[in-house]
């Protein structure tokens, strides 16, 4: 495969940072971005081009940054929508503004960056769009409603996008990591809303304490994950000679939870088959 040019959001730590290092080690070119340029100075020293990009900025500002990015190497082949964070708290404790902010980064930011790159990919009739979703795009765990909501929303939007754009030769890869050791749950990056309601107080606090204990103790090795992501895009290593699926769960916890949810869903469809299939108008035939 020829040398690819990657544009990545949220490169100051975690997946974005390690992806940048790994992609460079494979001989591809990277335009690493972050909302604070000084936080990715080390990636510039490692050989990446760097640009400032806050995914919550207005569409025009993001279009301008993407145009600058395209000008660096003359093209973008792979865009990785990686920037994101977690807001944790009970439904009743989350302020509307916190919910909006969560969706602004994890959903609307992704939409803006993707819309800025898409005309370029359509024009050259090639490219890959990678979206870092989550196990939280499958399972709504308690006290992470805003985060799960944002990743479920992302999954639906990206599934539609994938079907709209495959005719242009553009590939879409929706990556769903389980729990990986990054800065996601660090005190600086995790947004929490402590409960003001006594009914939730104990469970909410236990959840936040659990997240704090898990900070940088997660089972997933991010180095292993980024190698797999690059293999999937480049169709090398684990993906050599294989059809790469649109949706790709990553991690042992992800495997078990998704399997359980699929089995539960199949069980529900089987158990309630007759009721589910009993609501059509009498004069409606399936061939309509
Ligand atoms: N680690 C996991 O267990 C896990 C599991 C499933 C999914 N994910 C997903 O993986 C992605 C990367 O997270 P991570 O685990 O690598 O955590 P991380 O180490 O906290 O990295 C998140 C990155 O997103 C950036 N970011 C946040 N808001 C931004 C904004 N408005 N504009 C641009 N960049 C922004 C942060 O930059 P600043 O330094 O500027 O804050 C940081 O570089 C996220 O989408 C997350 O939801 C992670």
């Amino acid at each position: 495969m020829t040398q690819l040019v990657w544009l990545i959001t949220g490169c100051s730590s975690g997946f974005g940072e390690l992806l940048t290092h790994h992609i460079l080690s494979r001989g591809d070119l990277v335009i690493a971005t972050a909302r604070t340029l000084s936080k990715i100075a080390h990636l510039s020293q490692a050989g990446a081009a760097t640009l400032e990009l806050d995914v919550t900025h207005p569409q025009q500002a993001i279009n301008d940054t993407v145009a600058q990015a395209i000008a660096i190497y003359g093209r973008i082949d792979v865009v990785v929508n990686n920037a994101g964070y977690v807001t944790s708290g009970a439904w009743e404790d989350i302020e509307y503004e916190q919910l909006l902010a969560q969706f602004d980064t994890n959903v609307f930011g992704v939409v803006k960056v993707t819309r800025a790159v898409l005309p370029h990919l359509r024009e050259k009739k090639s490219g890959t769009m990678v979206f870092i979703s989550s196990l939280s795009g499958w399972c709504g765990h308690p006290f992470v409603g805003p985060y799960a909501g944002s990743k479920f929303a992302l999954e639906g939007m990206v599934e539609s996008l994938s079907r709209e754009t495959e005719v242009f030769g553009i590939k879409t890869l929706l990556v769903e990591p389980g729990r990986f050791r990054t800065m996601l749950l660090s005190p600086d990056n995790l947004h929490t809303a402590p409960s003001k309601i006594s009914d939730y107080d104990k469970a909410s606090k236990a959840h936040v304490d659990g997240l704090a204990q898990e900070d940088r103790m997660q089972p997933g090795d991010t180095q292993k994950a980024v190698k797999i992501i690059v293999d999937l895009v480049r169709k090398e290593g684990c993906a050599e000679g294989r059809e790469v699926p649109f949706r790709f769960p990553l991690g042992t916890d992800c495997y078990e939870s998704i399997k359980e949810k699929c089995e539960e869903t199949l069980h529900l469809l089987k158990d309630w088959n007759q009721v589910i299939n009993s609501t059509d108008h009498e004069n409606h035939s399936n061939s309509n």
Side-chain angles (χ1 to χ4, degrees):
M1 192 186 245
T2 50
Q3 191 177 46
L4 299 177
V5 179
W6 299 60
L7 174 72
I8 310 174
T9 65
C11 293
S12 69
S13 60
F15 278 101
E17 181 185 31
L18 292 185
L19 261 175
T20 301
H21 283 301
H22 184 74
I23 293 164
L24 290 171
S25 79
R26 301 270 287 255
D28 281 351
L29 300 166
V30 185
I31 303 151
T33 69
R35 54 183 166 175
T36 313
L37 209 47
S38 59
K39 283 194 181 179
I40 50 171
H42 62 297
L43 298 180
S44 167
Q45 278 159 18
T50 56
L51 286 176
E52 199 167 286
L53 175 60
D54 183 329
V55 301
T56 64
H57 280 180
Q59 183 72 65
Q60 190 53 54
I62 292 176
N63 290 351
D64 293 346
T65 307
V66 167
Q68 258 181 284
I70 293 169
I72 294 174
Y73 298 115
R75 66 184 200 281
I76 292 170
D77 300 307
V78 189
V79 55
V80 184
N81 278 288
N82 167 69
Y85 72 93
V86 176
T87 297
S88 164
W91 258 68
E92 290 189 68
D93 285 307
I94 298 289
E95 301 291 342
Y96 180 62
E97 288 68 26
Q98 290 174 300
L99 191 57
L100 278 185
Q102 177 77 105
F103 274 65
D104 206 18
T105 296
N106 292 11
V107 182
F108 301 121
V110 176
V111 172
K112 284 187 256 183
V113 171
T114 306
R115 285 168 62 109
V117 181
L118 254 175
H120 173 68
L121 301 185
R122 266 193 298 107
E123 196 182 330
K124 69 190 193 82
K125 301 236 175 311
S126 69
T128 304
M129 301 181 288
V130 180
F131 297 86
I132 308 296
S133 176
S134 173
L135 171 58
S136 292
W138 273 86
C139 304
H141 300 107
F143 302 106
V144 277
Y147 183 64
S150 73
K151 294 296 188 181
F152 267 71
L154 181 69
E155 296 246 339
M157 292 200 69
V158 169
E159 197 167 292
S160 291
L161 174 71
S162 159
R163 291 173 175 160
E164 285 168 19
T165 55
E166 63 189 347
V167 293
F168 306 123
I170 302 170
K171 295 192 199 97
T172 307
L173 178 63
L174 183 66
V175 181
E176 298 164 328
R179 289 138 59 225
F180 279 84
R181 221 167 279 184
T182 67
M183 299 303 282
L184 194 72
L185 302 181
S186 65
D188 281 349
N189 292 4
L190 178 66
H191 295 222
T192 55
S195 192
K196 299 186 257 352
I197 304 166
S198 60
D199 280 345
Y200 296 116
D201 197 25
K202 221 168 139 194
S204 172
K205 188 174 177 324
H207 179 80
V208 172
D209 290 349
L211 292 181
Q213 274 166 22
E214 203 179 311
D215 180 22
R216 276 151 288 171
M217 296 295 284
Q218 295 96 328
D221 181 339
T222 318
Q223 293 278 10
K224 290 183 180 172
V226 301
K227 181 186 182 308
I228 292 170
I229 294 169
V230 177
D231 280 349
L232 293 171
V233 171
R234 294 191 57 85
K235 293 194 107 186
E236 292 173 356
C238 69
E240 190 164 356
R242 301 184 70 174
E243 193 62 38
V244 174
F246 155 71
R247 179 175 271 110
F248 207 92
L250 266 183
T252 47
D253 51 345
C254 213
Y255 181 88
E256 288 305 328
S257 298
I258 292 177
K259 187 164 172 282
E260 197 178 309
K261 184 147 184 182
C262 289
E263 284 168 357
E264 267 174 27
T265 309
L266 283 172
H267 189 70
L268 154 84
L269 290 173
K270 194 163 165 255
D271 246 26
W272 291 85
N273 177 357
Q274 290 196 348
V275 180
I276 293 167
N277 285 305
S278 67
T279 54
D280 281 356
H281 282 284
E282 295 307 327
N283 60 358
H284 179 269
S285 96
N286 274 338
S287 57
N288 282 353

